[in-house]
Amino acid sequence: FGLSDRPDPPSGLRGGRPEEARSGFAKIDPRDVEPRLAPYVALARATVHLGGDVLLATGDFDLAALMAPGTLIEEVALRRLMVIGAEQGDKERFLRSANLYARRYMASPFAGQFAAAFTAGLAEAMAIEDLPRAAAVMDGTEPAERDALYLAAAGRLALDGKLDAVKEMARLYFLVPVEPRSAPAQRMTLYQHVAELKLGDIDAAA
Protein backbone atom coordinates (compact mmCIF):
# COMPACT_ATOMS: atom_id res chain seq x y z
CA PHE A 1 0.00 0.00 0.00
CA GLY A 2 1.18 3.49 -0.77
CA LEU A 3 0.24 6.62 1.11
CA SER A 4 -2.70 7.18 -1.22
CA ASP A 5 -4.06 3.73 -0.32
CA ARG A 6 -4.27 4.41 3.39
CA PRO A 7 -7.71 5.29 4.76
CA ASP A 8 -8.04 8.90 5.87
CA PRO A 9 -9.09 9.28 9.51
CA PRO A 10 -12.74 10.28 9.85
CA SER A 11 -13.09 14.05 9.80
CA GLY A 12 -14.97 14.03 13.10
CA LEU A 13 -11.86 12.61 14.81
CA ARG A 14 -9.82 15.60 13.65
CA GLY A 15 -12.51 18.12 14.45
CA GLY A 16 -13.57 16.91 17.90
CA ARG A 17 -16.99 15.68 16.72
CA PRO A 18 -17.39 12.22 18.26
CA GLU A 19 -20.70 11.30 16.61
CA GLU A 20 -19.26 12.04 13.19
CA ALA A 21 -16.08 10.16 14.08
CA ARG A 22 -18.08 7.09 15.16
CA SER A 23 -20.07 7.22 11.94
CA GLY A 24 -16.87 7.48 9.90
CA PHE A 25 -15.15 4.62 11.68
CA ALA A 26 -18.19 2.42 11.14
CA LYS A 27 -17.14 2.31 7.48
CA ILE A 28 -13.61 1.14 8.27
CA ASP A 29 -12.83 -2.44 9.28
CA PRO A 30 -9.35 -2.69 10.85
CA ARG A 31 -8.95 -6.12 9.29
CA ASP A 32 -9.24 -4.62 5.82
CA VAL A 33 -6.42 -2.08 6.10
CA GLU A 34 -2.67 -2.49 5.84
CA PRO A 35 -1.58 -4.94 8.59
CA ARG A 36 0.90 -2.57 10.21
CA LEU A 37 -1.79 0.11 10.47
CA ALA A 38 -4.63 -2.18 11.53
CA PRO A 39 -3.90 -2.13 15.30
CA TYR A 40 -3.87 1.68 15.31
CA VAL A 41 -7.18 1.78 13.48
CA ALA A 42 -8.71 -0.73 15.90
CA LEU A 43 -7.47 1.26 18.90
CA ALA A 44 -8.73 4.55 17.48
CA ARG A 45 -12.10 3.08 16.58
CA ALA A 46 -12.43 1.56 20.05
CA THR A 47 -11.62 4.89 21.66
CA VAL A 48 -14.23 6.88 19.75
CA HIS A 49 -16.86 4.24 20.46
CA LEU A 50 -16.31 4.40 24.24
CA GLY A 51 -18.79 7.24 24.48
CA GLY A 52 -21.40 5.37 22.45
CA ASP A 53 -21.34 1.62 21.91
CA VAL A 54 -19.32 0.04 24.74
CA LEU A 55 -19.79 -3.44 23.27
CA LEU A 56 -18.25 -2.36 19.97
CA ALA A 57 -15.46 -0.55 21.80
CA THR A 58 -14.71 -3.70 23.78
CA GLY A 59 -14.49 -5.78 20.63
CA ASP A 60 -12.11 -3.31 19.02
CA PHE A 61 -9.87 -3.12 22.10
CA ASP A 62 -9.73 -6.92 22.05
CA LEU A 63 -8.84 -6.80 18.36
CA ALA A 64 -6.15 -4.16 18.87
CA ALA A 65 -4.54 -6.23 21.62
CA LEU A 66 -4.58 -9.36 19.48
CA MET A 67 -3.10 -7.53 16.49
CA ALA A 68 -0.21 -5.95 18.40
CA PRO A 69 1.01 -8.22 21.22
CA GLY A 70 3.88 -6.88 23.27
CA THR A 71 3.41 -3.29 22.14
CA LEU A 72 2.14 -0.04 23.59
CA ILE A 73 -1.11 -0.66 21.69
CA GLU A 74 -1.74 -3.89 23.58
CA GLU A 75 -0.79 -2.19 26.84
CA VAL A 76 -3.32 0.61 26.30
CA ALA A 77 -5.99 -1.84 25.15
CA LEU A 78 -5.56 -4.05 28.23
CA ARG A 79 -5.86 -1.08 30.57
CA ARG A 80 -9.02 0.10 28.81
CA LEU A 81 -10.52 -3.41 28.84
CA MET A 82 -9.84 -3.68 32.56
CA VAL A 83 -11.63 -0.39 33.23
CA ILE A 84 -14.57 -1.41 31.04
CA GLY A 85 -14.80 -4.70 32.92
CA ALA A 86 -14.99 -2.89 36.26
CA GLU A 87 -17.51 -0.35 35.02
CA GLN A 88 -19.72 -3.02 33.49
CA GLY A 89 -19.47 -5.36 36.46
CA ASP A 90 -17.76 -7.94 34.26
CA LYS A 91 -15.41 -9.47 36.82
CA GLU A 92 -13.99 -12.02 34.39
CA ARG A 93 -12.92 -9.36 31.90
CA PHE A 94 -11.57 -7.15 34.66
CA LEU A 95 -9.43 -9.92 36.15
CA ARG A 96 -8.32 -11.37 32.82
CA SER A 97 -7.17 -8.01 31.48
CA ALA A 98 -5.49 -7.09 34.76
CA ASN A 99 -3.68 -10.41 34.89
CA LEU A 100 -2.32 -10.04 31.34
CA TYR A 101 -1.20 -6.48 32.04
CA ALA A 102 0.46 -7.34 35.36
CA ARG A 103 2.50 -10.12 33.77
CA ARG A 104 3.65 -8.11 30.77
CA TYR A 105 3.82 -4.41 31.50
CA MET A 106 4.63 -3.65 35.13
CA ALA A 107 7.98 -2.23 34.00
CA SER A 108 6.18 0.28 31.79
CA PRO A 109 6.28 4.00 32.67
CA PHE A 110 2.48 3.82 32.48
CA ALA A 111 2.16 1.06 35.10
CA GLY A 112 1.08 3.66 37.66
CA GLN A 113 -2.06 4.26 35.61
CA PHE A 114 -2.73 0.54 35.68
CA ALA A 115 -2.25 0.39 39.46
CA ALA A 116 -4.68 3.25 40.04
CA ALA A 117 -7.30 1.75 37.73
CA PHE A 118 -6.83 -1.75 39.13
CA THR A 119 -7.26 -0.73 42.76
CA ALA A 120 -10.26 1.45 41.92
CA GLY A 121 -11.86 -1.39 39.95
CA LEU A 122 -11.12 -3.88 42.72
CA ALA A 123 -12.83 -1.67 45.29
CA GLU A 124 -15.82 -0.97 43.05
CA ALA A 125 -16.46 -4.31 41.36
CA MET A 126 -15.04 -7.07 43.57
CA ALA A 127 -17.04 -8.65 46.37
CA ILE A 128 -15.09 -9.96 49.36
CA GLU A 129 -15.27 -13.53 48.01
CA ASP A 130 -13.62 -12.30 44.78
CA LEU A 131 -10.56 -10.88 46.53
CA PRO A 132 -8.46 -14.09 46.37
CA ARG A 133 -8.70 -13.94 42.57
CA ALA A 134 -7.65 -10.30 42.58
CA ALA A 135 -4.82 -11.24 44.94
CA ALA A 136 -3.58 -13.78 42.39
CA VAL A 137 -3.05 -10.89 39.96
CA MET A 138 -0.97 -8.98 42.52
CA ASP A 139 0.92 -12.09 43.64
CA GLY A 140 2.21 -12.54 40.09
CA THR A 141 4.20 -9.30 40.22
CA GLU A 142 7.62 -8.48 41.66
CA PRO A 143 7.78 -8.05 45.47
CA ALA A 144 7.94 -4.24 45.43
CA GLU A 145 5.11 -4.05 42.92
CA ARG A 146 3.10 -6.54 44.97
CA ASP A 147 3.57 -4.43 48.09
CA ALA A 148 2.46 -1.27 46.30
CA LEU A 149 -0.64 -2.90 44.80
CA TYR A 150 -1.79 -4.53 48.03
CA LEU A 151 -1.30 -1.34 50.03
CA ALA A 152 -3.08 0.78 47.44
CA ALA A 153 -5.97 -1.69 47.38
CA ALA A 154 -6.21 -1.83 51.18
CA GLY A 155 -6.09 1.96 51.37
CA ARG A 156 -8.84 2.37 48.81
CA LEU A 157 -11.02 -0.21 50.55
CA ALA A 158 -10.46 1.54 53.88
CA LEU A 159 -11.48 4.89 52.39
CA ASP A 160 -14.64 3.25 51.06
CA GLY A 161 -15.42 1.90 54.53
CA LYS A 162 -15.15 -1.74 53.41
CA LEU A 163 -13.49 -2.91 56.60
CA ASP A 164 -14.12 -6.63 56.17
CA ALA A 165 -12.47 -6.38 52.76
CA VAL A 166 -9.48 -4.58 54.33
CA LYS A 167 -9.06 -7.47 56.78
CA GLU A 168 -9.27 -9.98 53.94
CA MET A 169 -6.74 -8.02 51.89
CA ALA A 170 -4.33 -8.07 54.82
CA ARG A 171 -4.85 -11.81 55.29
CA LEU A 172 -4.10 -12.45 51.64
CA TYR A 173 -1.05 -10.20 51.73
CA PHE A 174 0.52 -12.11 54.62
CA LEU A 175 -0.04 -15.51 52.97
CA VAL A 176 3.19 -14.82 51.08
CA PRO A 177 6.21 -14.59 53.43
CA VAL A 178 7.31 -10.98 53.93
CA GLU A 179 9.77 -9.29 56.25
CA PRO A 180 7.53 -8.33 59.21
CA ARG A 181 9.66 -5.29 60.05
CA SER A 182 9.56 -3.90 56.53
CA ALA A 183 7.69 -0.66 55.96
CA PRO A 184 5.06 -2.28 53.68
CA ALA A 185 4.36 -5.08 56.18
CA GLN A 186 4.03 -2.64 59.07
CA ARG A 187 1.70 -0.45 57.06
CA MET A 188 -0.48 -3.41 56.12
CA THR A 189 -0.56 -4.46 59.78
CA LEU A 190 -1.74 -0.96 60.64
CA TYR A 191 -4.57 -1.21 58.08
CA GLN A 192 -5.49 -4.58 59.57
CA HIS A 193 -5.55 -3.30 63.14
CA VAL A 194 -7.55 -0.19 62.25
CA ALA A 195 -10.14 -2.33 60.44
CA GLU A 196 -10.39 -4.72 63.38
CA LEU A 197 -10.75 -1.88 65.89
CA LYS A 198 -13.46 -0.15 63.88
CA LEU A 199 -15.33 -3.40 63.33
CA GLY A 200 -15.10 -4.01 67.06
CA ASP A 201 -16.56 -0.57 67.73
CA ILE A 202 -19.43 -1.32 65.36
CA ASP A 203 -20.12 -4.67 67.06
CA ALA A 204 -20.04 -3.01 70.50
CA ALA A 205 -22.45 -0.29 69.38
CA ALA A 206 -24.84 -2.90 67.98
Side-chain angles (χ1 to χ4, degrees):
F1 288 88
L3 286 174
S4 61
D5 299 312
R6 297 177 184 175
D8 291 329
S11 59
L13 186 62
R14 297 192 300 266
R17 299 183 298 277
E19 290 297 334
E20 185 177 336
R22 282 192 282 271
S23 177
F25 269 116
K27 305 171 185 176
I28 302 173
D29 189 330
R31 290 161 291 199
D32 292 338
V33 303
E34 185 178 353
R36 68 188 182 92
L37 296 178
Y40 296 94
V41 174
L43 187 66
R45 193 170 77 160
T47 301
V48 300
H49 279 294
L50 272 177
D53 189 332
V54 176
L55 185 61
L56 183 56
T58 299
D60 280 338
F61 281 129
D62 277 331
L63 185 60
L66 286 171
M67 286 179 163
T71 69
L72 181 59
I73 290 176
E74 183 191 34
E75 181 184 353
V76 171
L78 289 175
R79 284 204 314 270
R80 296 286 180 84
L81 287 166
M82 182 182 68
V83 171
I84 290 172
E87 291 175 346
Q88 299 293 311
D90 186 342
K91 298 175 184 180
E92 295 301 325
R93 180 172 294 282
F94 171 77
L95 291 169
R96 182 170 63 252
S97 302
N99 188 54
L100 287 171
Y101 189 101
R103 278 154 177 71
R104 297 178 185 178
Y105 296 108
M106 289 305 291
S108 165
F110 303 106
Q113 296 178 23
F114 160 79
F118 174 74
T119 54
L122 182 153
E124 293 168 7
M126 298 285 103
I128 193 166
E129 60 268 20
D130 300 315
L131 293 183
R133 298 177 65 201
V137 174
M138 298 183 281
D139 290 342
T141 62
E142 294 297 318
E145 297 161 352
R146 178 181 184 271
D147 287 342
L149 288 170
Y150 267 96
L151 289 171
R156 176 61 185 263
L157 290 165
L159 284 174
D160 289 352
K162 298 180 177 180
L163 302 180
D164 282 325
V166 174
K167 286 181 59 180
E168 176 66 359
M169 189 59 61
R171 185 188 72 81
L172 293 165
Y173 174 77
F174 286 113
L175 286 179
V176 174
V178 295
E179 170 51 54
R181 295 183 181 180
S182 68
Q186 291 182 353
R187 187 174 167 194
M188 184 61 81
T189 299
L190 178 61
Y191 279 132
Q192 186 177 31
H193 287 168
V194 169
E196 289 171 349
L197 285 171
K198 289 191 174 182
L199 284 168
D201 290 344
I202 291 171
D203 290 341

